[in-house]
Amino acid sequence: MAKVTMADVARETQVNKATVSRALKGDPRISLATREKVWEAAKKLGYRVDTVARGLSSRRTDVVGVVLRDLGESWVGSFLSGVERVLARHRMEMLVKEANDLDASSRSAYQRLLDRKVDGVIWASDAPFPSGEDGIPSVIVGNGEGDPSMRVLLDEEVISRNVLSFAGGRPVSYRGGDRPFFPFLEGLSSIGREDGMVLWDGDLPSLDNLAEGILLCGDRSILAPLMVPHLPWPAFDMGHLSARGLINVVREKGVRPKEIKVSSGIVGVERSDLGY
């Protein structure tokens, strides 16, 4: 079967090859109607964009590097799912690397991404972001060190207010485990008070320690069967936000804020959702 070419798509849509090329690249100079017509024709004919050739001509790879501190953590799957969904809508791919809190590890991961000519980096590691003179667009998820193009943060004030509202006047006792997501909630603890609402963050306690009035911050897939009030990891939405922020920078479209904040709104006793 003969390979479908851009010339075939041009004949189908009755436009020239240059217009087809620009339409497939999402060039804003081409009207939305024409772009949709070109993409419909390309899909109908089975035309596939040659990403290698397009990269050589545009000096872009349409690949985004994602650096995580530990690929084995429970929230990683949800985070990458959020990133993948956003990048897919822009016909971009991701290349995932792991970097622990060692400076040498983070620099090695970053350099490998630069060697692959990625168009941008989403940094979700505790290791300092090795920003330099390369000028690559970047998003840091969290309070890690570095000077990115954009940063995605949790809105500590809003989350704290929502937790207190959920407590309903009861004293709060914060108990943080390893690598907690909400360490700032320790400020809500009532000194010397162990009654009221116990707030676990990080490693989950043993089932024997669970009691009424506990609000857990952890993996929803683990917590849901326990039927206890809980906050999910803020990974899925932050994955969307970090990817969207990076797309803004890479595509040079729309508003490009230096900082985005994510708040957690508790909407029920057995589950909660993140909004942005």
Side-chain angles (χ1 to χ4, degrees), residues 17 30 33 55 60 66 77 87 89 104 118 122 127 131-132 142 173 177 189 213 217 251 258:
K17 286 177 59 177
I30 306 301
R60 295 180 54 84
V66 181
L87 295 181
R89 290 202 295 268
V118 296
I122 296 174
S131 52
S173 176
S189 291
C217 306
R251 296 297 193 190
K258 289 291 290 184

Side-chain angles (χ1 to χ4, degrees), residues 1 7 10 18 27 38 58 68 72 75 94 117 176 185 188 205 223 235 242 275:
M1 182 177 179
D27 193 320
V38 169
S58 65
L68 299 148
W75 57 269
M94 66 176 166
K117 309 297 183 183
L185 292 178
L188 302 181
L223 294 173
S242 57

Side-chain angles (χ1 to χ4, degrees), residues 62-66 68 76-77 79-85 87-88 91-97 113 116 118 120 122 243:
D62 285 339
V63 176
V64 168
V66 181
L68 299 148
V76 167
F79 182 86
L80 292 179
S81 176
V83 174
E84 169 65 19
R85 292 189 184 195
L87 295 181
R91 300 181 180 85
M92 301 181 76
E93 307 290 337
M94 66 176 166
L95 180 61
V96 181
K97 297 292 182 182
L113 292 176
R116 294 294 298 273
V118 296
I122 296 174

Side-chain angles (χ1 to χ4, degrees), residues 21 40 54 59 73 86 107 111-112 115 133 142 152 160 162-163 168 173-174 185 188 235 273:
S21 176
E40 287 176 2
R54 185 174 66 177
R59 296 184 180 181
E73 293 194 76
V86 176
R107 290 187 176 278
Q111 186 58 54
R112 292 200 302 273
D115 292 343
E133 301 300 323
V152 178
S160 299
N162 286 335
V163 170
S173 176
Y174 177 84
L185 292 178
L188 302 181
D273 292 307

Side-chain angles (χ1 to χ4, degrees), residues 193-237:
R193 299 292 298 275
E194 292 296 326
D195 57 336
M197 187 176 73
V198 179
L199 183 61
W200 289 91
D201 188 12
D203 286 348
L204 298 179
S206 66
L207 297 181
D208 295 337
N209 291 333
L210 293 178
E212 184 178 356
I214 290 181
L215 179 68
L216 293 171
C217 306
D219 187 344
R220 180 179 293 178
S221 64
I222 298 175
L223 294 173
L226 302 179
M227 298 301 290
V228 294
H230 64 274
L231 294 173
W233 295 115
F236 188 78
D237 293 82

Side-chain angles (χ1 to χ4, degrees), residues 2 5 25 27 60 65 71 101 104 122 139 229 240 259:
T5 66
K25 292 177 182 177
D27 193 320
R60 295 180 54 84
L71 293 176
D101 55 0
I122 296 174
V139 170
H240 273 75
E259 183 175 293

